[in-house]
């Protein structure tokens, strides 16, 4: 089981605190805000952290994550839409970029909880 923390415009938890508390950061915001959020959180993460996006676009978000962070990077592309209430049985494409340790754990977690 993983503890999930959320930071957003209307939360008490800010992005700086979130980066300190979490080993894995998943950027899951509207595509219009993705680049700004990556630019904000990326530099806050050390190389032992994992930075991911959850968008249908890959080229720009992955490039931004690689350019703005020392963290390992995984681009995630869900093969389902936001209208689903339960993602059990759905597929997600993982695009790894220099990931050393986070990929195996992520894949196992997704398989186990699918």
């Amino acid at each position: 089981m993983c503890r999930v923390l959320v930071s957003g415009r209307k939360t008490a938890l800010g992005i700086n605190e979130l980066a300190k508390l979490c080993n894995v950061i998943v950027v899951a915001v509207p595509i219009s805000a993705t680049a700004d959020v990556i630019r904000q959180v990326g530099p806050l993460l050390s190389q032992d952290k994992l930075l991911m996006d959850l968008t249908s676009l890959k080229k720009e978000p992955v490039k931004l994550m690689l350019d703005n962070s020392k963290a390992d990077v995984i681009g995630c592309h869900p093969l389902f839409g936001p209208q689903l209430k339960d993602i059990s049985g759905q597929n997600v494409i993982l695009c790894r970029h220099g990931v050393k340790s986070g990929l195996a754990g992520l894949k196992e977690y997704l398989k186990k909880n699918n």
Side-chain angles (χ1 to χ4, degrees):
M1 184 66 71
C2 296
R3 186 173 92 166
V4 176
L5 301 175
V6 177
S7 175
R9 293 183 312 237
K10 297 178 182 178
T11 63
L13 182 64
I15 203 163
N16 291 338
E17 278 182 286
L18 187 76
K20 290 176 188 171
L21 294 170
C22 298
N23 292 322
V24 177
I25 300 288
V26 180
V27 177
V29 297
I31 196 65
S32 60
T34 299
D36 287 339
V37 171
I38 290 171
R39 284 187 193 103
Q40 287 175 21
V41 75
L44 302 174
L45 303 177
S46 58
Q47 63 187 21
D48 61 330
K49 305 275 180 138
L50 176 60
L51 178 59
M52 304 168 49
D53 76 309
L54 192 60
T55 64
S56 57
L57 301 176
K58 288 282 76 65
K59 187 176 181 178
E60 182 183 1
V62 168
K63 181 174 180 354
L64 284 167
M65 288 188 291
L66 291 169
D67 290 348
N68 288 281
S69 185
K70 295 177 185 174
D72 280 340
V73 169
I74 296 179
C76 297
H77 179 23
L79 297 179
F80 52 88
Q83 70 280 3
L84 288 180
K85 292 187 182 359
D86 180 7
I87 65 168
S88 297
Q90 300 301 313
N91 293 311
V92 177
I93 294 174
L94 302 176
C95 307
R96 85 181 170 138
H97 297 274
V99 175
K100 300 166 197 76
S101 59
L103 183 62
L106 176 63
K107 285 171 66 173
E108 184 60 32
Y109 177 80
L110 290 173
K111 286 179 184 179
K112 181 179 170 185
N113 292 287
N114 192 0

